[in-house]
Amino acid sequence: MNELTQIILKSIALFFLVWAAVRLMGKRNMSQINPFSFISYIVIAIVATLMSINLINLATGFITLIVWAAFPIALDYLSIKSRLMHQLINGKEAVLIKHGKIMEENLMRVRMTGEDLLAQLRSKNAFNMADVEFAVMETNGTINPYFKSDKKPVTMHDLEKMSAPQAEPQTVVLDGNMLEEPLASLGLNPQWLSTELDKMGVSLENVFLGQVDSSGDLYVDFFDDAVELPQPKVKEMLYATFEKAQADLLTFNLQTEDEKAKEMYSKNYQSLEDLLNKLRPYLLH
Amino acid sequence: MTVASQVKQTLASLKGARGTLRVYSTQTREEEARSMYTDAIVVTSSIIADLENRLQTLEFEEPQYKGN
């Protein structure tokens, strides 16, 4: 019984110790660590296990733990400070495809077969070797391809279209509860939210999720999916209003016989045209 | 519908649009978008002013329809 309590106490203490050590060693994703820190983690885990089941005594265990936790931290620090150390510790990235050609020697050096390379490329959506201009294996083993310019996903820039800059949306309602902090960070208050919800004719309790987008419009999702409520279409309406006004100006221009008025109408028709072109990326998505 | 009342209608919808623009110009978080909306308010306002002038002339020319 005494031994059991000892094991329990030790395990609990070691649990927190190992937790603290792992936290200190960094915040990287497990799948992204390099082989060396992987080994450190395993050693720490094994030593902690052996200690908690009394296979090795506490002093030996602690020393081992401290060394295996401190060294990775020290090496990480060194690799941040010096580029040379970084290369020594983490290795160097290997170029596997250059100018669309596979570098067989480099493939050999990282011990990969052609099939491994193809499988990795496929996981990055590069099914066709001919589409890949360049590929590099990072120090953590992932392979990142760079596509040939005609095979790259198209962007707004490629289409020569303007796109409105957008800030990230903020979630202001979750599970029927108002989230004060994001609201405040938008410079809005709870009254604003209740006004917006009133406008839609819903109460806060029925809202599962509410998000405010970059332009300050509120999008809501309800608990009851049978409820269909119009989502904000204010911008589309605004655009339509301007288009209608522009058409009206053209009509007036044709109807009037007054030269000065004709000129005024056509001038404003043109300035609305310019305005619509400028507003299009902002109002229509 | 007379020309004056048609102009009045357009004027009203433009004023509504200007109001919406004003709301967006205050609640949008992106600086660039905000200045875009502010510019749009200026353009809209000048069109509104022109139409108001024209409306005065029209009402002077056809006083019998004034107020419609």
Side-chain angles (χ1 to χ4, degrees):
Chain A
M1 191 59 207
N2 190 21
E3 201 192 355
L4 271 181
T5 25
Q6 218 189 351
I7 289 180
I8 291 174
L9 285 177
K10 258 198 208 167
S11 298
I12 294 173
L14 276 164
F15 175 84
F16 287 107
L17 191 78
V18 170
W19 174 75
V22 170
R23 283 317 298 260
L24 272 177
M25 281 168 69
K27 215 180 177 179
R28 246 171 290 171
N29 191 319
M30 262 317 241
S31 63
Q32 284 178 1
I33 57 174
N34 56 37
F36 182 67
S37 28
F38 183 62
I39 291 171
S40 318
Y41 283 128
I42 291 181
V43 169
I44 289 174
I46 292 175
V47 170
T49 321
L50 294 179
M51 274 166 85
S52 53
I53 57 173
N54 279 338
L55 276 180
I56 48 173
N57 68 45
L58 276 180
T60 338
F62 269 125
I63 292 170
T64 325
L65 268 188
I66 288 169
V67 169
W68 279 92
F71 261 67
I73 297 173
L75 284 183
D76 270 352
Y77 184 75
L78 277 177
S79 70
I80 291 169
K81 287 286 164 198
S82 132
R83 232 191 106 59
L84 188 74
M85 283 306 287
H86 189 271
Q87 272 183 21
L88 272 176
I89 295 162
N90 296 313
K92 235 176 127 181
E93 57 273 13
V95 177
L96 298 183
I97 298 177
K98 206 172 177 181
H99 301 312
K101 295 189 180 74
I102 300 177
M103 316 285 285
E104 284 81 8
E105 316 87 76
N106 285 357
L107 208 58
M108 198 61 178
R109 246 190 35 223
V110 297
R111 275 178 219 94
M112 268 188 107
T113 64
E115 271 154 7
D116 294 338
L117 176 67
L118 285 178
Q120 288 263 13
L121 285 177
R122 278 197 294 269
S123 73
K124 299 279 175 167
N125 249 335
F127 281 80
N128 197 347
M129 254 300 298
D131 297 349
V132 182
E133 165 73 18
F134 179 85
V136 63
M137 183 191 240
E138 309 294 349
T139 51
N140 62 25
T142 52
I143 290 183
N144 289 321
Y146 181 77
F147 290 95
K148 288 186 175 155
S149 56
D150 56 336
K151 299 289 181 185
K152 264 187 280 188
V154 64
T155 61
M156 287 308 245
H157 180 83
D158 296 329
L159 296 173
E160 293 179 17
K161 272 191 180 167
M162 263 273 289
S163 72
Q166 279 187 327
E168 74 288 355
Q170 292 273 7
T171 306
V172 294
V173 183
L174 207 57
D175 258 323
N177 296 314
M178 179 170 50
L179 307 177
E180 301 252 7
E181 208 186 289
L183 255 186
S185 78
L186 294 173
L188 300 168
N189 56 14
Q191 280 81 21
W192 174 85
L193 186 63
S194 55
T195 317
E196 287 292 310
L197 290 175
D198 279 349
K199 269 201 261 173
M200 294 183 194
V202 288
S203 64
L204 187 60
E205 297 84 66
N206 298 330
V207 178
F208 176 66
L209 185 115
Q211 272 191 329
V212 176
D213 70 8
S214 170
S215 56
D217 282 334
L218 180 69
Y219 171 90
V220 287
D221 183 87
F222 302 105
F223 278 110
D224 187 359
D225 287 330
V227 181
E228 281 285 348
L229 265 181
Q231 295 297 346
K233 281 268 182 283
V234 186
K235 287 186 193 151
E236 286 82 352
M237 295 275 283
L238 183 58
Y239 190 81
T241 310
F242 276 122
E243 266 187 336
K244 169 132 192 339
Q246 196 196 12
D248 285 347
L249 288 181
L250 190 60
T251 318
F252 299 152
N253 177 36
L254 295 174
Q255 278 172 350
T256 186
E257 255 141 45
D258 183 343
E259 275 309 317
K260 243 173 70 188
K262 246 189 196 323
E263 196 186 315
M264 182 274 285
Y265 284 136
S266 81
K267 184 198 87 192
N268 284 334
Y269 175 86
Q270 198 49 49
S271 64
L272 263 187
E273 175 80 31
D274 296 344
L275 186 64
L276 279 172
N277 281 334
K278 274 205 284 183
L279 284 176
R280 194 168 295 127
Y282 292 86
L283 299 183
L284 304 178
H285 300 290
Chain B
M1 215 160 45
T2 62
V3 177
S5 61
Q6 282 174 342
V7 172
K8 248 181 210 167
Q9 224 174 40
T10 308
L11 200 51
S13 65
L14 272 177
K15 278 180 179 165
R18 182 172 63 175
T20 315
L21 280 176
R22 205 157 265 159
V23 171
Y24 276 118
S25 76
T26 53
Q27 72 179 12
T28 300
R29 275 179 289 151
E30 276 291 330
E31 199 53 55
E32 205 179 312
R34 204 180 301 166
S35 66
M36 175 79 240
Y37 289 127
T38 322
D39 291 350
I41 292 175
V42 176
V43 176
T44 316
S45 296
S46 95
I47 298 174
I48 287 174
D50 278 351
L51 284 185
E52 268 169 351
N53 270 337
R54 178 67 190 151
L55 191 64
Q56 267 176 5
T57 321
L58 284 175
E59 278 179 344
F60 181 73
E61 279 170 4
E62 33 180 340
Q64 67 272 36
Y65 297 114
K66 196 169 178 203
N68 280 341

